[in-house]
Amino acid sequence: MNEQHIKQQSVLHAQNIKKSYGTRGNVQEVLKGINLHVQKGEFVGIMGPSGAGKTTLLNVLATIDRSTAGTILIDGDDISKMKDARLSTFRRDKLGFIFQDYNLLDTLTVKENILLPISLGKVKKKEAETRFNEIAEVLGIANLANKYPHEVSGGQKQRTSAARALINEPSMVFADEPTGALDSKSAASLLKTMEDVNEQRGVTIMLVTHDAIASSYCSRVVFLKDGMIYSELYRGDKTRQAFFQEILKVQGVLGGDSVDSI
Amino acid sequence: MFSGVTALTLFDLVVRSMRKNIKHYYLYFFALIFSVTLYFVFATLQHDDSVVARSGGSMGSAFAVAGILLLVIAGIFIIYANAIFLKRRSREIGLYQLIGLSKNKVVRLLMIENVLLSSGALFIGIGVGILVSRLFLLLLMKLIGFDGVISVSFSTTAVVQTIIVFMVIIGLTSIQMLFTVYRNTLLNLFNADKKGEIPKKPKSILSAIVAILGIALVVFGYWLSGRMLNEMLFFNMLAVLASTILGTYLLFRVTIGWVLYKIRASKQGHLGLKNSLSLATLMHRMKGNANSLTIITVLSAMTLTMLAVAYSLYYATEKETRYALPFDYMIEEWAEGHLTDEAISLEQFESELTTAGIDYTKTKLELLAVEGVYEKGIFPAVVGPRQFLANSYIVNASQLQEAGLAVEIPADGTLIYHDALIGKFVKDIETPFEIDVTSSNPTRTFKAVKYGEGDVINASAGSQLVVNENDFEKYKQEMVPESMEDVFEEWIVQTVYALNITDKNDLAQASHIYTQNCDEGRSCGIDYYSMYENSLEGSGLFIFIAGFLGLVFLISTGSILYFKQMTEAEQEKQSYKTLRQLGFSKKEIMRGIVRKQIFVFGLPLAIGLLHSIFAIKSASFLFVSDITVPTTIAMGVYALIYLLFAVLSVGYYKKTVSEAL
């Protein structure tokens, strides 16, 4: 496909997103008006100190939570106006998810877990099988198909989770701290794979992380602070190392919270 | 002193934790209250004056036996509920230890809690029991056909008995708690709610053999249950029980897992949401569930059988009484002086009936004693080796018809064979067979063409051969009284009068007249109505006790399944969250869960029903009449109440899924 053409297509279009929690008199505004556009094929990282609203933003964009104000278009559909049942279908058809805790179903094998999202759709068994083989190959878990989650390593679990996120060929994949529970080697390997998937298959990914190394794999990093967008960095043609240094600098200015979860 | 302070804080902790964990407590609390209430009601009835007075000691001892059964079930139920309760709280128990409470203190904390909960349950349970025991007494009296005014008195004995019994049970649950704290490591406690096994690939050949063995054992049990009635009856019963129960266990432990594994393997990973939520989770818990599912299935089968038999007995009381006593009254025409003090003479009875304005019909019947030999091998072994006719009469079919009995008139040389006593065992006796009558000259051979329902004369101790007028007269001529050595002389030719009351509503009054000379509580001169009342008392008591125990079994098993499902729902909450995040709607998730519930609740019920159907079939010799209707009703009611628990369980899952995201 024409790269120029891809760049012009907007997958996610969020305008003035606000989200507050609490009841009258004790309202806490977590997101204070966020504008964010993601083009097709982008690999966007969301960073920020804890309490900045990273996960809230991801949940709102990923249709898991509802925003208090603002409009969100994904693939041209306004998700802020959809009913719950319609949102469910939308998530299943258009979105993919990777969670920090993998969230695999313990009772299902790796293959069964991966095929779950397309189990109710119109995907034929043969087509599903093809997709599974292809994705399992890319993620290097083809030989684990019949193993149960408890029988494989953390990195392999997260790859399974990633494969599950990709099986329905989503418009966008949301990843919430996917490397949070992994050792550095597994983390690097997973991020490399995600980078490959992004580059070679043109999958749009949004990655929420507090880890500068993880976000250095992205093509763009958005920094949040106190519910607002603080700044943005584009990787462009820079090496990952150079990009990493840049991210560190912004992080330093932001409050140097690289130890946020501890 | 230090300890005073500690006790206070411990107590505070108890109160706080109870207030916060109401959700966890109410389940155990409910189990306690439920058991206390039912036990108390039972104990109250057991000691109630009107119940004891109704039929002397027999009712009391029936209650005592049932009370012990009730106690065992209540005990098991409470201990099981406590086990689930402890498992759900194991993390909390671990946490107390983690923050530095010694094991002793944790135990003390749990004990205080247990005593508080139990005394609360005892108090509430006995209170509720006092309120509802009157209801149960009314029901019992109605069932045994007592119409008088009844009042239930508050029984101190029942209260004391209930308190003592539940103190023992509380002691047991306390020991259980002790074990949980002392025998578990912290790690165990923290991981207790994460348990779930990994379904292993069954070793194909061995599993297949054992899986089929499970089915084979059950089928063998069923097969044998239809062929038990021989000399080895007791051994056969044990074999049927053992084979069926072991088969059921294998069914749950191996066969079902094996079948599920085969189905799953055939899907090649394309499991789908519904199966992911039913088949996969079931396989994960099959091993742990095998025991409880087996127990629940066997208990259900027992309860269903007990209920169906009890209800059938109750339902058939009238019919069964009629089988033994086809006429309302049958009065023999005794020679003067034979009349005993207690019985009433025909003349007196008739005159008093007329005085009372009760219409009746009277028919004269002639009974001719008969002796003879049966054709060999007609009767099943269970009846015993019957060779000769004993205590038997030849009866004239035409006279019986005149007396209002619906009998056929057999052809010359043939007879219809009646014997209510053995009738239960010989429903499928093969006809025709031959009977050689030896008490006549010349001897004659009759062909018994049909096995007739019940007796044709009241209170007979032997068989009746119903023949047509022609054969009857012929036998009367040819009969040789001297040849009948075993028959009293005056019984060789008897004339009796069959009396039927026209309006059956007058029966009570008529029987009152008939039994006026009898002592209180003794039945003399057996009449239909007194007999019916008597049987009703027995079968009414039986259905009451069976129903009471059945209800306890039912609610216990249903609750255990429900509690288990509640725990499972909580353990799987994260899965539901994930599924909803992945974009599956509540409805779609619920469909899978409902499928699982159908399996979890439906399978024990279905297998239990099947077991009980075969059990009832093999016990059908107890009944002369057809028991399809009462059996179906009893089973239907049971299934309906049982399925309520499935509905509750689905409701709980629904709530869990809704709250998951």
Side-chain angles (χ1 to χ4, degrees), chain A residues 64 88-89 91-92 97 99 103 105-109 111-112 115-117 119-120 125 128-129 148 150 164, chain B residues 198-199 264 268-273 276 280-281 284 574-575 578-585 588 661:
Chain A
I64 289 173
S88 288
T89 323
R91 274 207 295 282
R92 204 165 71 218
F97 295 92
F99 308 95
N103 288 1
L105 269 58
D106 296 331
T107 50
L108 302 184
T109 62
K111 184 176 180 182
E112 286 163 353
L115 287 172
L116 197 56
S119 68
L120 285 188
K125 192 178 166 184
E129 192 71 22
Y148 284 94
H150 83 108
R164 183 179 63 185
Chain B
I198 297 306
R264 191 172 184 177
Q268 293 175 308
H270 301 261
L271 205 52
L273 179 70
S276 300
T281 46
H284 254 243
Q574 176 59 41
S575 297
T578 305
L579 286 170
R580 290 193 58 195
Q581 282 174 334
L582 290 178
F584 291 104
S585 69
E588 286 157 346
L661 193 64

Side-chain angles (χ1 to χ4, degrees), chain A residues 4-259:
Chain A
Q4 204 59 34
H5 183 67
I6 293 169
K7 280 258 164 74
Q8 281 163 2
Q9 273 185 298
S10 172
V11 179
L12 179 92
H13 185 96
Q15 198 74 46
N16 197 26
I17 303 301
K18 287 182 181 165
K19 175 73 187 177
S20 33
Y21 290 106
T23 48
R24 196 178 296 222
N26 186 25
V27 181
Q28 201 191 352
E29 201 167 35
V30 183
L31 301 178
K32 299 170 179 165
I34 286 181
N35 297 311
L36 187 65
H37 306 279
V38 177
Q39 308 294 342
K40 184 156 175 48
E42 263 196 295
F43 188 175
V44 183
I46 308 277
M47 289 197 74
S50 53
K54 297 184 303 267
T55 300
T56 306
L57 178 64
L58 181 107
N59 282 344
V60 166
L61 294 180
T63 77
I64 289 173
D65 205 349
R66 281 186 185 277
S67 61
T68 319
T71 48
I72 303 166
L73 301 179
I74 295 179
D75 257 4
D77 293 317
D78 188 351
I79 60 161
S80 43
K81 290 206 177 71
M82 282 184 197
K83 291 228 168 70
D84 279 351
R86 175 105 166 68
L87 269 185
S88 288
T89 323
F90 183 82
R91 274 207 295 282
R92 204 165 71 218
D93 294 345
K94 300 266 173 120
L95 307 180
F97 295 92
I98 307 174
F99 308 95
Q100 177 171 2
D101 302 323
Y102 328 122
N103 288 1
L104 298 173
L105 269 58
D106 296 331
T107 50
L108 302 184
T109 62
V110 165
K111 184 176 180 182
E112 286 163 353
N113 260 299
I114 293 171
L115 287 172
L116 197 56
I118 50 171
S119 68
L120 285 188
K122 297 114 213 150
V123 183
K124 292 223 170 62
K125 192 178 166 184
K126 208 173 154 195
E127 160 73 5
E129 192 71 22
T130 318
R131 280 197 209 173
F132 168 76
N133 287 334
E134 200 184 310
I135 290 168
E137 196 58 45
V138 171
L139 288 164
I141 48 172
N143 56 335
L144 304 175
N146 292 321
K147 291 231 185 304
Y148 284 94
H150 83 108
E151 296 174 299
V152 304
S153 73
Q156 288 166 331
K157 275 186 213 171
Q158 199 55 293
R159 283 161 183 278
T160 307
S161 173
R164 183 179 63 185
L166 294 170
I167 194 86
N168 58 348
E169 299 179 338
S171 301
M172 200 161 170
V173 171
F174 292 95
D176 187 5
E177 301 276 11
T179 56
L182 301 182
D183 62 88
S184 57
K185 202 177 154 206
S186 310
S189 156
L190 177 79
L191 288 163
K192 184 81 189 79
T193 314
M194 283 173 75
E195 193 182 29
D196 291 346
V197 167
N198 168 253
E199 281 169 6
Q200 285 156 26
R201 300 166 68 94
V203 177
T204 314
I205 303 174
M206 179 178 281
L207 169 79
V208 164
T209 182
H210 66 270
D211 176 15
I213 301 175
S215 51
S216 69
Y217 286 86
C218 299
S219 56
R220 169 162 62 124
V221 177
V222 176
F223 293 89
L224 290 190
K225 190 181 181 185
D226 299 330
M228 309 269 278
I229 291 185
Y230 178 77
S231 75
E232 272 184 286
L233 284 180
Y234 281 88
R235 180 167 164 187
D237 298 328
K238 288 184 273 276
T239 62
R240 203 168 60 73
Q241 268 308 317
F243 194 43
F244 172 63
Q245 294 303 329
E246 255 185 79
I247 294 168
L248 277 188
K249 259 183 235 158
V250 179
Q251 230 184 359
V253 179
L254 257 177
D257 194 356
S258 54
V259 286

Side-chain angles (χ1 to χ4, degrees), chain B residues 47-110:
Chain B
H47 296 294
D48 191 83
D49 293 336
S50 51
V51 174
V52 177
R54 271 300 278 172
S55 77
S58 77
M59 225 180 213
S61 57
F63 266 102
V65 172
I68 292 169
L69 255 172
L70 183 65
L71 197 62
V72 172
I73 291 298
I76 292 175
F77 177 52
I78 289 177
I79 286 173
Y80 199 92
N82 190 36
I84 294 179
F85 176 53
L86 281 175
K87 201 171 164 190
R88 292 173 120 197
R89 298 182 60 205
S90 53
R91 183 174 279 272
E92 185 195 333
I93 295 170
L95 208 63
Y96 284 139
Q97 292 181 47
L98 200 69
I99 59 169
L101 278 185
S102 67
K103 287 197 169 190
N104 285 331
K105 287 233 176 70
V106 175
V107 167
R108 222 187 305 161
L109 181 133
L110 290 175

Side-chain angles (χ1 to χ4, degrees), chain B residues 306-320 424 535-536 538-540 542-543 622-623 625 627 630:
Chain B
M306 183 176 77
L307 280 175
V309 167
Y311 186 53
S312 298
L313 277 177
Y314 184 71
Y315 185 88
T317 304
E318 193 179 345
K319 215 170 174 186
E320 303 262 338
K424 298 167 176 183
S535 326
L536 195 66
S539 59
F542 186 37
I543 181 77
L622 288 172
F623 305 97
S625 49
I627 55 165

